[in-house]
Amino acid sequence: NENFLPGATTLMDLLHENGYYQALMVGSDANFGGREPYFLQHGMDKIYDIYTARADGIVPRGYFVWWGIEDKYLFEYAKDELTEIAKQDQPFAFTMLTVDTHHIGGYVCSYCGQEHEEQYENVISCSSRQVEEFVEWIQDQPFYEDTTIIIVGDHPSMDNGYFDRNVDEDHV
């Protein structure tokens, strides 16, 4: 954890060099997997995680489900923090890691419906609705004019069997 990718130039390094304020938001412990030192060593200014969510009253002290806090709380937390960050007279980059769909079966929150046969499909649908609502919220904000939204995933799914069961093998 002393030096994460020393000598490597990341997008965060470039944004930092160009005066961007950068924030990362995760629903778990930011230290998991060495994330916090990596991000801080490459130009991140502020990191929000389960501990800051508790301190900021987003969830009660001691709150913990599955990995930390579910995405439904994370999206609301992000709206609050983005509103404050946007008030600064500085360009910014905000990175958020959602994980309700990350693991096998996904995490079923109170927003999830039962419109599909498989739990994982319901979680994916639920997450998709939340992402859509969040993007629409951003589009309605005063800071949106010069905003670029990038949505990426770290892999298609942890549930490889889901695709074997539900996607035609001829699908490209």
Side-chain angles (χ1 to χ4, degrees):
N1 288 344
E2 282 184 31
N3 283 312
F4 250 101
L5 298 174
T9 301
T10 69
L11 176 59
M12 294 174 298
D13 293 317
L14 296 173
L15 291 172
H16 178 76
E17 290 170 12
N18 284 281
Y20 278 71
Y21 176 85
Q22 297 180 82
L24 168 70
M25 182 174 284
V26 299
S28 60
D29 180 342
N31 276 306
F32 176 78
R35 285 185 301 213
E36 188 169 41
Y38 166 76
F39 281 100
L40 290 173
Q41 290 171 24
H42 289 279
M44 193 62 59
D45 295 294
K46 174 78 176 181
I47 296 179
Y48 302 90
D49 67 0
I50 187 168
Y51 301 110
T52 60
R54 289 174 183 162
D56 290 342
I58 303 301
V59 293
R61 293 211 181 277
Y63 187 88
F64 190 91
V65 298
W66 205 26
W67 66 92
I69 63 172
E70 52 267 72
D71 294 348
K72 70 179 189 176
Y73 294 117
L74 205 62
F75 282 114
E76 293 307 313
Y77 194 19
K79 289 176 187 178
D80 292 344
E81 296 308 313
L82 274 169
T83 300
E84 292 304 310
I85 291 168
K87 292 177 183 176
Q88 300 176 29
D89 188 27
Q90 182 177 10
F92 65 89
F94 183 83
T95 301
M96 184 169 71
L97 170 66
T98 64
V99 293
D100 282 1
T101 62
H102 187 73
H103 208 269
I104 296 170
Y107 179 79
V108 179
C109 77
S110 62
Y111 292 173
C112 292
Q114 297 294 322
E115 62 265 30
H116 303 286
E117 288 183 31
E118 286 199 43
Q119 172 180 310
Y120 195 46
E121 291 174 313
N122 290 314
V123 173
I124 291 170
S125 291
C126 183
S127 180
S128 294
R129 286 189 299 271
Q130 290 179 78
V131 169
E132 177 183 28
E133 191 276 332
F134 184 63
V135 169
E136 288 173 348
W137 176 86
I138 291 172
Q139 291 172 325
D140 288 339
Q141 301 312 301
F143 62 80
Y144 176 68
E145 182 179 334
D146 294 323
T147 297
T148 300
I149 299 171
I150 302 169
I151 300 173
V152 298
D154 62 340
H155 47 73
S157 172
M158 295 281 286
D159 189 351
N160 294 331
Y162 171 79
F163 294 102
D164 292 339
R165 293 186 307 275
N166 294 290
V167 177
D168 186 336
E169 63 186 43
D170 295 331
H171 179 74
V172 177

